[in-house]
Amino acid sequence: MKIEATAVPLVERLAFLPKLFGPNVMMYAESMLYNCAKRLAPDEYRNGSWEFYELSNGGGYAAPMEPQQFNLMIGSNGFEGGMSNDAAGIVFTLFVINSLCFRYAETDPKTAEKFVDHYHQLLDFAKQHKEARSIFRAID
């Protein structure tokens, strides 16, 4: 079954991060997204606006609007390569959700389980993405 991504309408944007990460974690997760982009794409990411996407399977992700192309450098797995801002956003969001899974695993298993579900929902969408190969190489 094809998973669809739908841009969150402007009037619903304020509710997206609390829905995806939970109201108690959303500010921390938002900061993690920006820091992840700065760390993995230091030459391209210069802050700016992000687009939010809801997935038809219940997941979601955030992607920087600019620039259109990112060169990611991931020291932990040796990945270096270019991808669209949409694919980079998927990578950034997967890294953040993965970190949150581990952060809450022992202290708040219910929250950690929610992040595990969101991780797999986004992973399932990433498998169908036109840049799936680059995304999976980046998160390997």
Side-chain angles (χ1 to χ4, degrees):
M1 183 165 110
K2 183 156 177 59
I3 301 166
E4 300 292 334
T6 304
V8 175
L10 188 60
V11 296
E12 296 174 21
R13 287 178 60 85
L14 287 177
F16 176 76
L17 290 175
K19 181 179 173 184
L20 184 63
F21 296 112
N24 296 332
V25 180
M26 64 159 264
M27 295 297 287
Y28 178 64
E30 182 179 30
S31 176
M32 288 177 70
L33 277 170
Y34 304 152
N35 288 330
C36 185
K38 287 177 190 173
R39 187 178 74 253
L40 301 182
D43 294 335
E44 286 83 18
Y45 183 68
R46 300 281 185 253
N47 300 318
S49 298
W50 288 60
E51 188 72 70
F52 300 144
Y53 295 93
E54 291 182 323
L55 302 177
S56 59
N57 66 356
Y61 69 100
M65 292 180 166
E66 297 290 334
Q68 295 296 309
Q69 196 71 18
F70 280 82
N71 184 47
L72 273 60
M73 296 173 284
I74 304 172
S76 61
N77 65 13
F79 176 82
E80 188 170 333
M83 61 182 67
S84 69
N85 57 333
D86 188 64
I90 292 169
V91 171
F92 302 150
T93 307
L94 284 167
F95 269 94
V96 168
I97 293 172
N98 184 57
S99 293
L100 292 170
C101 290
F102 285 101
R103 178 181 173 94
Y104 291 97
E106 290 188 26
T107 60
D108 189 350
K110 185 176 177 181
T111 297
E113 187 64 32
K114 175 183 171 181
F115 292 132
V116 168
D117 291 343
H118 284 317
Y119 186 86
H120 287 286
Q121 290 163 333
L122 184 51
L123 208 58
D124 288 342
F125 174 72
K127 291 175 187 174
Q128 300 175 4
H129 196 277
K130 63 184 175 183
E131 296 174 82
R133 185 173 180 189
S134 292
I135 293 168
F136 279 88
R137 285 182 52 228
I139 65 168
D140 184 20

